[in-house]
Amino acid sequence: MGVAAILYAEALNIKWHSFGTILEAHFLNHCNQNLVSKFSGSKFLSTNMIESGFVKGLTEVGTALVVAFYMPETLRETLYATSRPNSEKFLRKKLIIDAVLKQRGEQIDLSIPFKDIKLRPTKFGTNFVVDFLSLYFYKILGLQSINIYIEGIPNEILTLVDGMSLNFYEKINPIALNRDIPPEFLEQYLKKLNIVGIEPYNQQDWDEYLAVLKMINIIK
């Protein structure tokens, strides 16, 4: 995915490079080894480009909130451009958009009825990304709406989620602000997120974030 940037790096004098890796994209994002105190951008494959992670502190829900605010007209085409119909990724993104639009009180017809999606539900505990997002889907959309996506969420976990806000899914992990965002972009970055309504975690968000990671066995 980085080939084009590498080939054009010198000709276009590209300084920064960023992938679309979000918070839940890899369990290592949740590990203590990443809790560094300053921007740690590294040279990208021996080029002069410096890697940065502009969405690494956001969940996929957070990125959808940004798109729904700044470019709502692209939601449908983005869904089809980034995933194959009848794939887990397609259904996941459909549920993310449904949840985000519900939270924003907006109605956008994506013309993708669930009855047209033929996919076997993922069993809870077999895919940490599915597990992680399913708890938010349950909280916002309800269990009936996500039965096509996941099955077997333990009742004790559902009970715990019922007592949480899960607002952290719609916020930015503050560790990423110093770790992944180039300092010269930080002020404007925070301002843009603030306009959308995305803020850094407060103490309740941290408590719930860590509780969710324990529920899906990312941390003990």
Side-chain angles (χ1 to χ4, degrees), residues 99 102-103 132-143 146 153 158-167 169-170 204 208:
K102 182 176 180 180
Q103 287 296 79
F132 181 81
L133 288 170
S134 291
L135 301 185
Y136 179 81
F137 295 156
Y138 164 70
K139 183 72 176 181
I140 305 303
L141 300 173
L143 192 58
I146 66 170
I153 304 178
L158 296 180
T159 299
L160 288 172
V161 171
D162 285 336
M164 297 178 173
S165 70
L166 297 191
N167 289 336
Y169 281 85
E170 302 168 8
Q204 180 182 348
E208 293 189 359

Side-chain angles (χ1 to χ4, degrees), residues 38-57:
K38 61 181 179 179
F39 177 68
S40 55
S42 58
K43 297 291 185 180
F44 178 55
L45 293 180
S46 300
T47 68
N48 287 323
M49 292 184 292
I50 299 175
E51 248 187 292
S52 54
F54 289 99
V55 294
K56 216 168 185 179

Side-chain angles (χ1 to χ4, degrees), residues 4 39 54 57 73 93 95 128 139 143 145 174 177 187 203 206 213:
F39 177 68
F54 289 99
E73 71 282 358
K93 291 182 178 296
L95 288 168
F128 80 90
K139 183 72 176 181
L143 192 58
S145 296
L177 297 178
E187 182 179 355
Q203 186 58 53
W206 273 116
L213 295 185

Side-chain angles (χ1 to χ4, degrees), residues 7 13 24 47 53 62 75 77 86 95 105 107-108 119 163 199:
L7 293 175
N13 192 27
E24 66 271 23
T47 68
L75 283 173
E77 63 184 66
N86 283 324
L95 288 168
Q107 295 293 326
I108 298 178
L119 189 69
E199 301 174 345

